[in-house]
């Protein structure tokens, strides 16, 4: 790994993930605040995000930071922004399920350039940077080459921002077209499936950028294709996100709320 920013992000993601695992074993770490139905923030979320904030502020004091819990710290004009989800999949994390992760990405003024996802309980670390292929535990990975519907598995995400009828309609279209689907309850895990070739696509109708940013970089580095809002818009508001292997050209039409996007 020659990119110092990427090496920093990878080390930080591992440190953050190990801290989250440690805090899960402490009663204080699992103190919960309820943000909405099945939407929680734990003391561990806050502690891990503070660790990430402090490390980034010390190493890159001119750069901005956007975190799920801490909001936006503005960058010095002309500098980039770090985009962080300290514990993605908090419900899974709380229940001692393995499907949760740490997501750290970096964006320059116009595009996402660096991405790291660490799934601590699964011991999976995926990294990608400018001009570098995506590595999973230090080995190159590529998206799936499957193109037929009866071999296609799509990971789906959803949230209260999406009408239930829309989510069920997507499932119906997939099943009517011989596709299978899965839902992990964490975007990092769903995106990792596409990056590693285990699934053919991940789609969510309304996804915050801190859930998606690292996975977008990783998917591109693994040969995948991505549909999401322009960066500056996505920094401000949730966007529809599709990450897929690019094989079945009709697959986006089964998933996207606006197939012409």
């Amino acid at each position: 790994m020659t990119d110092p920013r990427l090496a920093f992000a990878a080390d930080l993601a591992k440190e953050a993930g190990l801290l989250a695992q440690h805090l899960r074993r402490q009663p204080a770490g699992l103190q919960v605040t309820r943000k909405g139905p099945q939407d929680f923030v734990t003391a561990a979320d806050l502690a891990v995000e503070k660790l990430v904030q402090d490390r980034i502020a010390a190493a890159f004091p001119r750069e901005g930071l956007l975190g799920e819990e801490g909001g936006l710290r503005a960058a010095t004009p002309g500098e980039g922004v770090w985009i962080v989800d300290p514990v993605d999949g908090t419900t899974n994390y709380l229940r001692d399920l393995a499907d949760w992760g740490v997501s750290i990405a970096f964006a320059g003024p116009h595009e996402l350039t660096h991405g790291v996802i660490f799934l601590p309980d699964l011991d999976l670390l995926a990294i990608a940077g400018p001009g570098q292929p995506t590595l999973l535990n230090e080995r190159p990975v590529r998206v799936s080459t499957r193109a037929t519907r009866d071999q296609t598995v799509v990971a789906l995400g959803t949230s209260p921002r999406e009408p239930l009828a829309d989510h069920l309609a997507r499932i119906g279209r997939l099943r009517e077209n011989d596709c299978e689907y899965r839902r992990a309850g964490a975007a990092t895990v769903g995106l990792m499936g596409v990056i590693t070739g285990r699934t053919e696509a991940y789609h969510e109708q309304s996804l915050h950028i801190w859930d998606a940013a690292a996975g977008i970089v990783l998917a591109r580095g693994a040969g995948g294709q991505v549909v999401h809002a322009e960066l500056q818009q996505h920094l401000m508001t949730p966007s529809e996100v599709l990450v897929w292997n690019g094989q079945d050209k009709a697959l986006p039409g089964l998933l996207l709320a606006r197939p012409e996007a």
Side-chain angles (χ1 to χ4, degrees):
M1 188 190 308
T2 58
D3 186 316
R5 188 184 297 278
L6 187 58
F8 168 84
D11 288 344
L12 181 55
K14 288 188 287 187
E15 183 181 8
L18 293 175
L19 174 61
Q21 286 181 313
H22 170 74
L23 291 172
R24 187 170 53 181
R25 296 190 290 268
Q26 315 302 317
L30 297 182
Q31 292 178 354
V32 174
T33 300
R34 189 171 183 268
K35 296 192 290 185
Q38 298 291 336
D39 189 7
F40 310 101
V41 59
T42 68
D45 286 277
L46 300 175
V48 173
E49 185 162 298
K50 185 178 187 306
L51 168 72
V52 172
Q53 289 174 337
D54 290 348
R55 294 285 189 271
I56 291 173
F60 302 98
R62 294 171 55 86
E63 295 173 351
L65 177 70
L66 176 62
E68 178 176 11
E69 311 305 339
L72 177 65
R73 185 191 74 208
T76 301
E79 300 290 343
V81 60
W82 292 86
I83 304 165
V84 176
D85 192 342
V87 178
D88 177 50
T90 298
T91 297
N92 292 341
Y93 170 82
L94 277 168
R95 292 173 177 262
D96 209 23
L97 298 170
D99 289 343
W100 62 277
V102 179
S103 178
I104 300 177
F106 180 77
H110 305 295
E111 63 177 344
L112 295 160
T113 58
H114 296 71
V116 173
I117 290 176
F118 180 44
L119 307 183
D121 288 356
L122 301 174
D123 194 26
L124 295 175
L125 177 72
I127 65 171
Q132 298 189 12
T134 296
L135 302 179
L136 178 71
N137 291 356
E138 301 184 351
R139 295 186 177 185
V141 288
R142 299 290 293 178
V143 297
S144 161
T145 58
R146 296 183 186 91
T148 59
R149 298 280 175 85
D150 61 358
Q151 294 184 348
T152 293
V153 177
V154 177
L156 298 176
T158 189
S159 76
R161 295 181 299 276
E162 177 188 22
L164 177 59
D166 289 2
H167 180 60
L168 296 177
R170 275 188 298 156
I171 294 173
R173 290 193 298 272
L174 288 172
R175 297 301 297 124
E176 288 166 0
N177 284 273
D178 299 323
C179 300
E180 260 294 355
Y181 71 95
R182 299 289 185 270
R183 180 166 180 252
T188 48
V189 177
L191 291 162
M192 190 77 92
V194 183
I195 294 157
T196 58
R198 293 182 172 95
T199 59
E200 282 60 66
Y202 178 83
H203 177 262
E204 187 158 345
Q205 191 177 104
S206 179
L207 191 61
H208 287 291
I209 194 166
W210 48 75
D211 295 313
I216 288 170
V217 177
L218 293 164
R220 287 173 173 157
Q225 297 185 21
V226 180
V227 177
H228 74 116
E230 183 270 336
L231 177 61
Q232 294 303 319
Q233 178 185 340
H234 202 176
L235 285 168
M236 302 304 295
T237 186
S239 165
E240 184 169 27
V241 173
L242 170 63
V243 173
W244 63 304
N245 66 355
Q247 296 294 315
D248 178 358
K249 302 305 181 184
L251 184 61
L254 302 179
L255 296 167
L256 291 170
R258 296 173 297 281
E260 71 277 7

